[in-house]
Amino acid sequence: DLNSKNKTACIVGELVGTTILVSAYSLGIQEFGMGTAMIYLLLIILLHPISGAHLNPCVTIAQAIAT
């Protein structure tokens, strides 16, 4: 629920998280499935309190606009 959270922090968190995930994937970590899974898990743990850890900025921005 974005009503109780800072919308800017949510959007920035999602953009940073998505950038890290895409960068890790494009750097070749996709060949190591466990490495990608661990990065994804770490991002979820870190971003869940901030933005809900959608890791899809479009979802967070749509929620921010709707609320």
Side-chain angles (χ1 to χ4, degrees):
D1 184 332
L2 292 179
N3 289 331
S4 61
K5 299 177 183 176
N6 182 350
K7 291 180 183 181
T8 304
C10 290
I11 292 169
V12 170
E14 290 295 313
L15 288 171
V16 169
T18 302
T19 302
I20 291 170
L21 189 61
V22 169
S23 296
Y25 188 80
S26 66
L27 289 174
I29 294 180
Q30 76 272 15
E31 294 180 16
F32 307 103
M34 186 58 75
T36 303
M38 296 305 290
I39 290 172
Y40 193 63
L41 177 64
L42 179 64
L43 289 172
I44 289 172
I45 291 169
L46 292 175
L47 292 176
H48 187 270
I50 298 169
S51 65
H54 301 121
L55 295 177
N56 183 346
C58 295
V59 172
T60 303
I61 291 169
Q63 278 188 335
I65 291 170
T67 57

